Amino acid sequence: MLKYLRLLIAQNILLKVSLFNAIGIFVRVVCGLITSKLIAFYLGASGMAILGDLRNFLSSVQSVSQLGISNGVIKYTAEYKTEKYRFNRLVATALKIGLGCSIVVGCILVVFSNPINYFVFNGVHDYASIIKITGFVLPLFTLNALLVNVINGMGAYKKVIQINVATNVLGVVVSALLIIYFNLFGALLALVISGVMAFVITGVFLLNKRHYFLQMVGERIDIEIVKKLASYGGMTLFSAIASPWVYIAIRKHIIKTDGIVNAGYWDAMLRLSEYYMMFATTLMTLYFLPKLSAVASKKEFRTEVLNFYKTILPFFGVGLILIFLLKSYIIKIVFNASFLEMRSIFIWQLAGDFFRVASLVIAYQLVAKNKFWLFIGTQILSLSIIYLSSRIFIDAYGFIGAAMGHLLSYALYLLVMVGVFYKSLFGRL
């Protein structure tokens, strides 16, 4: 049996990547659990909600500073990795425009830190200094993200996972110290400086390539590559800007309707969701985006989707069932007994995440094949449904309504994706 499993993994690159990815995810989840436990103990549910606002804000700002070109960099790195001239131009162009944009965005954050602080934290908390620090470190975060995208596009998934593991281990140590000694401010600061730590670690892993990247300084920006990356930038920017602000709006509505503590329970569920969703989302970026970028026929696309549904999705579904059955124990381990009120939200969030994973493997074809307007249209539909339905359900059922909206949104999104790619998935080849 063991021999058969080894042979199966060796022959199936998806399972091989998944297994190595699972090791990285395990380390990341353990680090996340430690951080969540500290947040629950020192900051409580209200602190969790405030951190959620900053996390959503940072997600949006970081995507803007990269001009949303991350997926485009992965795609074209996979395409150009055997063509030295085009590859060099791609790397130089991506790093230079990313650095330039992040400096501009960083300056805006520093200059307008007070009004931004008021908007993000509802005028209740004064963390303008956190916004300023974000502005100063933003260029390092951008450079790190783009460098990792290049490594990812080259198919060096082991190195990407090693970088992520090292970053997470260092991050949890720094976060623990900052939370223990500085409480909420320390937790916010830990979020902001995580990009600096990641940049340092990526630099160490790429130390033997330093001469290559120094040569990139002399390479000029290629306008043709800028044009190719632009459509990817538009897709990612729309999603990366709109999605965090939709969640900020939902959180504000929960606070207004059901109180900040219940908003913290919802945020705790989102944080827990991130842990088990890491396996699927990182697998999408590590394996499926480069793979789908190289797919040239409907048959290959159908094969990749069905392979995912047969090998990965069943395991993911079983994992979600186990999480539901063990939810009380998980809450006590990850947070503490005061968070047990969030048990009622599990069934809705877990079901929504199952549909989310099932739909994303199809939806990544929109990114891989650069279907700009179709991507934008489906994103607008999905975000509109989750926002409007969440408001309606929150008014009727309290904070649980946000997870109900999540389930409805992704169930409908899966139906839309199947409809869009119906011929590729079920038609004649």
Side-chain angles (χ1 to χ4, degrees), residues 5-22:
L5 287 173
R6 286 177 179 171
L7 182 63
L8 181 64
I9 291 170
Q11 293 177 341
N12 192 316
I13 185 64
L14 175 55
L15 286 177
K16 194 173 182 180
V17 175
S18 300
L19 182 61
F20 198 77
N21 182 46

Side-chain angles (χ1 to χ4, degrees), residues 14 288 291-292 295-310 361-362 365 369 421-429:
L14 175 55
F288 276 99
K291 191 75 175 178
L292 291 177
V295 162
S297 68
K298 292 179 180 179
K299 182 179 180 180
E300 289 176 300
F301 171 63
R302 181 185 296 183
T303 300
E304 289 298 332
V305 173
L306 292 179
N307 190 23
F308 179 86
Y309 282 169
K310 289 187 293 185
V361 67
I362 304 174
Q365 182 75 338
K369 298 307 178 185
F421 292 103
Y422 184 84
K423 289 184 180 180
S424 298
L425 293 170
F426 304 107
R428 287 187 177 182
L429 299 175

Side-chain angles (χ1 to χ4, degrees), residues 383-398:
L383 291 172
S384 298
I385 292 171
I386 193 170
Y387 175 69
L388 294 173
S389 62
S390 291
R391 284 187 65 99
I392 293 170
F393 290 140
I394 289 167
D395 288 339
Y397 303 104

Side-chain angles (χ1 to χ4, degrees), residues 132 140 176 216 349 351 394:
K132 287 180 180 178
L140 297 181
M216 293 300 99
Q349 185 71 33
I394 289 167

Side-chain angles (χ1 to χ4, degrees), residues 23-330:
I23 298 171
I25 293 303
F26 175 76
V27 175
R28 189 173 177 182
V29 168
V30 170
C31 292
L33 294 178
I34 294 171
T35 305
S36 295
K37 193 73 174 179
L38 288 167
I39 292 170
F41 181 79
Y42 285 95
L43 309 179
S46 59
M48 192 80 71
I50 295 169
L51 277 170
D53 278 335
L54 182 64
R55 282 155 61 87
N56 289 142
F57 172 72
L58 287 178
S59 174
S60 181
V61 166
Q62 288 161 358
S63 293
V64 172
S65 70
Q66 297 170 48
L67 288 176
I69 63 174
S70 293
N71 287 332
V73 172
I74 295 172
K75 170 185 166 59
Y76 290 114
T77 298
E79 282 189 20
Y80 298 161
K81 61 184 178 183
T82 58
E83 304 174 48
K84 184 177 179 180
Y85 176 79
R86 298 176 82 182
F87 177 78
N88 289 346
R89 284 296 176 89
L90 169 66
V91 174
T93 300
L95 293 178
K96 286 183 177 181
I97 62 177
L99 180 60
C101 183
S102 63
I103 291 173
V104 173
V105 175
C107 290
I108 293 172
L109 293 179
V110 172
V111 173
F112 297 101
S113 59
N114 287 319
I116 292 173
N117 171 79
Y118 183 88
F119 186 75
V120 173
F121 297 109
N122 301 311
V124 178
H125 307 281
D126 184 11
Y127 292 115
S129 57
I130 292 292
I131 305 298
K132 287 180 180 178
I133 294 171
T134 303
F136 285 118
V137 304
L138 198 57
L140 297 181
F141 178 92
T142 300
L143 286 176
N144 173 71
L146 293 174
L147 287 171
V148 173
N149 292 151
V150 172
I151 299 170
N152 190 6
M154 293 178 69
Y157 61 88
K158 287 186 178 180
K159 182 167 284 188
V160 173
I161 293 169
Q162 288 168 349
I163 290 172
N164 289 336
V165 166
T167 301
N168 286 317
V169 171
L170 178 60
V172 74
V173 173
V174 173
S175 296
L177 292 172
L178 289 173
I179 292 170
I180 291 170
Y181 287 103
F182 300 102
N183 293 310
L184 182 56
F185 181 85
L188 295 170
L189 184 61
L191 271 179
V192 170
I193 65 172
S194 61
V196 179
M197 294 184 287
F199 177 76
V200 172
I201 290 170
T202 301
V204 171
F205 273 85
L206 296 177
L207 203 58
N208 62 334
K209 301 287 185 182
R210 61 187 182 280
H211 297 300
Y212 169 78
F213 288 105
L214 287 174
Q215 289 175 2
M216 293 300 99
V217 176
E219 290 280 351
R220 67 180 180 85
I221 293 177
D222 191 310
I223 301 302
E224 288 303 312
I225 289 178
V226 172
K227 290 178 181 178
K228 288 183 176 182
L229 292 175
S231 58
Y232 281 93
M235 287 191 287
T236 307
L237 274 178
F238 178 83
S239 180
I241 293 174
S243 183
W245 290 107
V246 165
Y247 280 88
I248 287 174
I250 291 172
R251 187 180 295 105
K252 287 182 177 180
H253 191 64
I254 295 174
I255 292 171
K256 180 182 176 182
T257 307
D258 212 17
I260 192 170
V261 172
N262 285 329
Y265 294 149
W266 175 66
D267 241 294
M269 187 67 243
L270 292 183
R271 180 178 283 267
L272 196 60
S273 172
E274 283 182 15
Y275 296 150
Y276 59 74
M277 282 294 295
M278 283 178 195
F279 177 77
T281 54
T282 54
L283 188 62
M284 299 285 182
T285 307
L286 281 171
Y287 178 83
F288 276 99
L289 183 56
K291 191 75 175 178
L292 291 177
S293 297
V295 162
S297 68
K298 292 179 180 179
K299 182 179 180 180
E300 289 176 300
F301 171 63
R302 181 185 296 183
T303 300
E304 289 298 332
V305 173
L306 292 179
N307 190 23
F308 179 86
Y309 282 169
K310 289 187 293 185
T311 58
I312 304 300
L313 194 60
F315 287 107
F316 185 74
V318 170
L320 294 180
I321 293 171
L322 289 174
I323 290 171
F324 177 75
L325 295 175
L326 300 172
K327 58 182 179 294
S328 295
Y329 298 102
I330 291 171

